[in-house]
């Protein structure tokens, strides 16, 4: 095989929807390591990742603060790098331009550190960061709020619709919250579906950039009182969540990478028969 030819892998590029506290980060944290997480949400939301090993304190990097999680059997091995990309001073925003600069070296870092999964958590706060940068910095003289939404929508198109699904060397996941959005049915009628909580027409368009659009949700408690979460991967008649799986991952499975990988292996075995 030529040196410049990439080895084909079954990589997952996922738009992951869920309510606050519904298990999005918990599912992401089960994916292959080493893992790089862009935490757009406020500090404290990183707990699901920190619980995967021995967590460090907060460190200061070149463009952001970050925490590292070490492999329990090997304390010298970093399995998760969690970067904080929240905006600590909204009237003097700097997070969005720092993030744009950070993206220039992402493929280099994926190769250098062997990242197998890259996560964005969440799209909701990424959009807010870009909009705040427009409102208080680059377009501060503009009073029409529509232009600031247009700026953040463009940022979401560039990074959420194009950049994240095109990370060809690793798994990529973009988490988002859920909102009711108007959409057209197959019959041409206007219907309300539950889609990604993003401005304008983005909720109707962003799923086109991902082969996998899932919803993780709380499904009740076990007989021992433990919470049960499940993964929706297909449309259902009983609800209007805009889910799909081009890899035919079964609907209603356990939200864990091992369960997902088991179904992919089973699908491949059946295809080869």
């Amino acid at each position: 095989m030529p040196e410049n030819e990439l080895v084909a892998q079954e990589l997952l590029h996922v738009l992951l929807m869920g309510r606050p506290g519904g298990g999005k980060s918990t599912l992401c944290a089960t994916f292959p390591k080493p893992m790089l997480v862009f935490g757009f949400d406020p500090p404290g939301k990183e707990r699901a990742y920190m619980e995967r090993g021995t967590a460090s304190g907060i460190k200061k990097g070149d463009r952001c603060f970050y925490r590292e999680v070490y492999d329990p059997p090997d304390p010298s091995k970093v399995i998760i790098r969690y970067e904080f990309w929240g905006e600590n001073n909204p009237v003097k925003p700097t997070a969005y331009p720092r993030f744009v600069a950070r993206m220039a070296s992402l493929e280099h870092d994926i190769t250098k550190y062997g990242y197998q999964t890259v996560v964005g958590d969440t799209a909701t706060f990424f959009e807010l960061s870009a909009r705040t940068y427009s409102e208080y910095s680059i377009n501060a003289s503009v009073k029409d709020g529509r232009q600031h939404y247009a700026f953040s929508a463009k940022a979401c198109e560039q990074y959420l619709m194009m950049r994240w699904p095109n990370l060809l060397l690793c798994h990529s996941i973009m988490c988002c919250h859920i909102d009711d959005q108007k959409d057209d049915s197959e019959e041409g009628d206007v219907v309300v579906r539950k889609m990604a909580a993003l401005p304008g027409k983005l909720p109707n368009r962003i799923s086109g950039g991902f082969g996998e659009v899932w919803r993780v949700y709380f499904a009740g408690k076990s007989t021992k009182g433990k919470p049960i979460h499940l993964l929706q991967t297909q449309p259902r008649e009983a609800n209007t969540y805009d889910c799909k799986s081009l890899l035919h991952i079964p609907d209603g499975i356990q939200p864990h990478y091992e369960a997902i990988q088991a179904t992919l292996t089973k699908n491949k075995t059946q295809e080869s028969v």
Side-chain angles (χ1 to χ4, degrees), residues 6 8-9 58-59 73 79 88 95 99 101 146 166 171 179 188 192 200 231 244 251 264:
L6 298 176
Q9 301 181 57
I58 296 176
K59 304 178 182 181
I79 58 173
N88 66 332
F99 168 78
R146 292 175 296 182
N166 281 297
H171 300 286
D179 200 1
V192 176
L231 192 64
K244 67 177 179 180
D251 190 26
L264 292 175

Side-chain angles (χ1 to χ4, degrees), residues 117-271:
T117 306
V118 174
V119 179
D121 200 347
T122 60
T124 310
F125 280 91
F126 170 78
E127 185 276 328
L128 180 59
S129 178
R131 178 156 41 94
T132 300
Y133 177 63
S134 175
E135 185 175 1
Y136 290 99
S137 182
I138 194 170
N139 296 312
S141 62
V142 177
K143 303 304 180 183
D144 188 348
R146 292 175 296 182
Q147 182 160 332
H148 305 308
Y149 273 104
F151 181 92
S152 67
K154 183 67 173 179
C156 290
E157 288 176 340
Q158 290 177 319
Y159 291 101
L160 308 190
M161 288 183 64
M162 297 178 66
R163 196 76 166 90
W164 237 258
N166 281 297
L167 293 174
L168 298 178
L169 302 180
C170 62
H171 300 286
S172 63
I173 311 171
M174 178 55 64
C175 301
C176 62
H177 296 101
I178 302 171
D179 200 1
D180 291 341
Q181 305 286 348
K182 291 183 178 180
D183 193 14
D184 294 329
S185 69
E186 294 294 334
E187 294 76 24
D189 300 322
V190 176
V191 296
V192 176
R193 302 187 196 280
K194 296 183 184 298
M195 300 180 177
L198 292 169
K201 296 182 179 180
L202 276 170
N204 305 84
R205 300 172 54 200
I206 190 170
S207 62
F210 292 84
E212 306 297 307
V213 181
W214 305 339
R215 176 180 74 110
V216 62
Y217 62 97
F218 174 70
K221 293 185 177 181
S222 68
T223 55
K224 296 183 179 180
K226 293 184 177 181
I228 299 173
H229 291 85
L230 297 176
L231 192 64
Q232 180 177 350
T233 63
Q234 302 291 342
R236 299 176 184 172
E237 293 183 3
N239 64 36
T240 56
Y241 290 95
D242 190 28
C243 298
K244 67 177 179 180
S245 175
L246 299 186
L247 293 174
H248 307 294
I249 295 172
D251 190 26
I253 68 169
Q254 179 188 8
H256 193 288
Y257 178 75
E258 290 183 1
I260 294 165
Q261 186 60 46
T263 65
L264 292 175
T265 301
K266 181 179 179 180
N267 290 345
K268 283 186 177 180
T269 301
Q270 293 175 343
E271 290 173 1

